[in-house]
Amino acid sequence: MRIALFEPDIAGNVGTILRTAACLGIPVDLIEPMGFPWSERALARSGMDYAVQAEIARHVDWATFEARIPGRLVLFTTRASVPLPKARFLEDDTLLLGAEGSGVPGFVHDRADLRVRIPLLAGMRSLNVAVAAGIGIAEGLRQTGGWPEGND
């Protein structure tokens, strides 16, 4: 299982996702352009100290990323018809989340093999992208038996 972020805008959210991924052994794909500079200083400032422990692949654009997707592309989106409890995950899935302010464009939405939404109470728009990533990763790992062994 992998997590991918489409043109993320907020360094702090990326930092939180990198920490989650590092702790759980999940590789991360960052699809550029990003809304912040990627540098050692920026990483430290936004709490991305776990970046050195995470397996990160940066892609200069969507086409570069798309050419390297190992299995299914599972898009988390508020526009999906499949609620998370009914989604079925596979070990080689790549879980994709869009930019905080704009999500993903139509061509990315159309490319997804599975589109999943996290059910929310009526009137609620969406979750923070880092929270949504954590929920998606947890469910994917639960279904595929992929939780790491370690500090049990």
Side-chain angles (χ1 to χ4, degrees):
M1 187 156 304
R2 304 179 70 83
I3 192 85
L5 305 177
F6 182 85
E7 300 180 3
D9 295 329
I10 302 172
N13 286 336
V14 174
T16 299
I17 292 167
L18 291 178
R19 183 180 189 126
T20 301
C23 289
L24 299 176
I26 304 289
V28 178
D29 293 285
L30 299 175
I31 305 161
E32 298 185 20
M34 293 187 280
F36 55 91
W38 183 269
S39 67
E40 293 300 320
R41 185 175 176 178
L43 295 177
R45 190 171 348 127
S46 63
M48 288 195 241
D49 52 329
Y50 276 69
V52 297
Q53 295 168 307
E55 181 183 333
I56 302 168
R58 289 175 58 199
H59 306 277
V60 296
D61 57 23
W62 170 257
T64 304
F65 165 75
E66 186 179 25
R68 298 186 62 203
I69 300 170
R72 294 188 314 170
L73 184 64
V74 178
L75 175 63
F76 279 76
T77 173
T78 58
R79 299 183 336 200
S81 59
V82 178
L84 181 63
K86 293 188 178 182
R88 294 297 162 248
F89 295 92
L90 304 174
E91 289 180 16
D92 64 349
D93 283 346
T94 297
L95 311 183
L96 176 65
L97 291 105
E100 292 86 341
S102 58
V104 298
F107 69 89
V108 173
H109 199 273
D110 293 343
R111 167 56 182 86
D113 299 297
L114 176 63
R115 288 171 291 284
V116 176
R117 69 176 163 75
I118 299 171
L120 303 176
L121 290 174
M124 297 292 140
R125 275 192 338 263
S126 64
L127 294 167
N128 171 281
V129 70
V131 172
I135 291 170
I137 290 168
E139 180 61 13
L141 292 177
R142 184 191 70 78
Q143 287 187 22
T144 62
W147 284 100
E149 301 202 11
N151 299 332
D152 297 356

